[in-house]
Amino acid sequence: QKVTMMIPSSLLLSYFDKTQSRLQQLKGGDELCDADPELPWHRSRIVEAQLTSLGDAISEWRRQNNNNGDPSIISDTMQSVLRQIGLGDFSCVSFDGSNQDFTLASTPTTGLRSRSSRGSGDENGTRQSEKGVLKDHIEEQQQILTEAVETTNEMARLAFARSVLTIQWRLDRQQPPQSKKELREENDNIDEESTLEYCGLMMAAVRLPEIQKYLQNGTIDSIHPDQTTENPSEDDWLDSSVEERLIHIQKLYWRALGWEPIHAIDQLTRLLSGGSNDSNNFQQIRNNAKGMETLTK
């Protein structure tokens, strides 16, 4: 159902700022050091951060308006408007610093205003000029909101990849590894859903600053502050090359997806190399043009 009320752009921008801050700080929870949650749990953390930020932004906006803010602006209404903005629809946004029901303010004069055609033309010209300024202002604010949506969506993808990886990394460091997840292997061929999920996680992971640092020089302090690489004899698990470190990340994500890592990596390698496999899963993946494009990036 389309929302008919107007939401202030300042309220929307406050929500984006709060959400981005929370997503940036979201990591694997210490309370789960002995658990191996499924992917929906990680997604629920992203949603929780977004909803908490939404509630905080609305409460703050009402306080700033001496609790006279429109009481109908509630979480559900805001979520509907946010979805509309994501589709490029700003019809329910009121832009701060502009009057969308624009009327020309009267111009101070000395004496009576001339009714000549010239005077009328000057007034019309001023009106059109001010309307042009208003239009530019609104378009600029729309662009700011569009960029805020894109940035927040990107940070949500990165936070999801970080959350999954951080917990898998912690479990992998324990001896023996603590994951109790039953992994699929040998007789199972990787399916389209798992493959695309894996690609999304990897594409986000390589954009994480801490992973870029790890791949470059093996440093993990930004991934796990409580882990160090100062003693090589104790950290002989640390791979020596960029390729090996990348494979280590791949293994963690495949394990998070419920697949035995070596088996999944071998399956994916054969898929990309065009190796023979008559399984329906392989054919579905190969027939998915978007999926194959993602795999080869």
Side-chain angles (χ1 to χ4, degrees):
Q1 183 178 0
K2 187 177 178 62
V3 180
T4 56
M5 68 174 298
M6 305 297 285
I7 302 295
S9 59
S10 58
L11 174 54
L12 293 166
L13 290 174
S14 173
Y15 158 74
F16 288 125
D17 287 343
K18 294 179 186 302
T19 300
Q20 290 173 18
S21 177
R22 277 194 170 87
L23 292 175
Q24 183 65 38
Q25 299 172 23
L26 195 65
K27 298 183 183 295
D30 292 335
E31 72 279 6
L32 291 170
C33 59
D34 294 324
D36 190 357
E38 301 293 336
L39 294 188
W41 180 85
H42 295 281
R43 288 196 173 90
S44 71
R45 301 185 75 204
I46 307 300
V47 174
E48 181 181 358
Q50 294 170 329
L51 291 177
T52 301
S53 299
L54 196 56
D56 288 351
I58 293 173
S59 297
E60 182 180 281
W61 178 76
R62 284 181 173 159
R63 286 195 303 272
Q64 291 172 348
N65 287 273
N66 298 318
N67 293 320
N68 292 323
D70 191 334
S72 62
I73 296 183
I74 57 176
S75 179
D76 289 346
T77 307
M78 281 279 288
Q79 289 182 66
S80 296
V81 173
L82 288 167
R83 284 192 291 269
Q84 291 180 23
I85 293 174
L87 297 173
D89 180 359
F90 300 92
S91 60
C92 292
V93 180
S94 62
F95 294 96
D96 301 307
S98 68
N99 180 0
Q100 290 172 305
D101 297 323
F102 180 83
T103 56
L104 179 67
S106 59
T107 304
T109 60
T110 55
L112 296 175
R113 179 182 296 277
S114 169
R115 295 181 180 273
S116 67
S117 58
R118 179 179 178 181
S120 177
D122 289 344
E123 182 176 320
N124 288 338
T126 302
R127 183 184 296 272
Q128 293 302 318
S129 175
E130 295 191 12
K131 283 186 175 180
V133 172
L134 173 64
K135 181 175 181 294
D136 290 343
H137 172 74
I138 291 178
E139 288 179 349
E140 180 183 357
Q141 294 299 307
Q142 289 177 346
Q143 182 61 32
I144 291 174
L145 282 175
T146 298
E147 292 174 358
V149 170
E150 294 172 351
T151 299
T152 303
N153 288 341
E154 169 68 359
M155 293 186 70
R157 288 188 287 268
L158 296 182
F160 176 61
R162 181 187 292 112
S163 178
V164 175
L165 184 61
T166 303
I167 288 182
Q168 287 301 316
W169 199 293
R170 181 183 294 121
L171 293 171
D172 186 65
R173 287 284 289 149
Q174 296 175 355
Q175 294 297 329
Q178 295 299 306
S179 176
K180 300 178 177 61
K181 186 178 294 179
E182 184 176 347
L183 302 178
R184 301 168 63 182
E185 56 184 332
E186 294 185 3
N187 296 328
D188 292 322
N189 292 309
I190 56 174
D191 56 81
E192 184 176 10
E193 180 180 357
S194 296
T195 302
L196 294 179
E197 187 83 81
Y198 163 80
C199 289
L201 287 166
M202 283 299 301
M203 290 175 67
V206 296
R207 297 197 298 274
L208 289 169
E210 56 266 45
I211 297 304
Q212 293 173 352
K213 187 176 181 180
Y214 166 70
L215 292 175
Q216 182 179 7
N217 55 31
T219 304
I220 66 168
D221 57 334
S222 54
I223 303 174
H224 261 303
D226 57 330
Q227 304 290 341
T228 65
T229 57
E230 295 177 357
N231 189 337
S233 64
E234 292 181 0
D235 286 318
D236 56 2
W237 62 271
L238 188 61
D239 303 309
S240 59
S241 71
V242 173
E243 181 180 2
E244 289 171 331
R245 289 194 284 271
L246 182 61
I247 290 175
H248 181 64
I249 299 294
Q250 293 172 341
K251 288 179 179 178
L252 294 180
Y253 277 132
W254 277 122
R255 188 175 294 124
L257 289 165
W259 290 87
E260 197 287 316
I262 300 300
H263 172 66
I265 291 174
D266 176 67
Q267 290 266 305
L268 188 58
T269 300
R270 287 196 289 132
L271 173 65
L272 294 175
S273 64
S276 60
N277 192 303
D278 296 330
S279 75
N280 290 331
N281 288 347
F282 266 39
Q283 292 305 318
Q284 288 177 356
I285 297 172
R286 285 176 174 149
N287 291 336
N288 185 328
K290 183 177 181 180
M292 289 302 295
E293 180 184 357
T294 301
L295 282 171
T296 54
K297 284 185 178 180

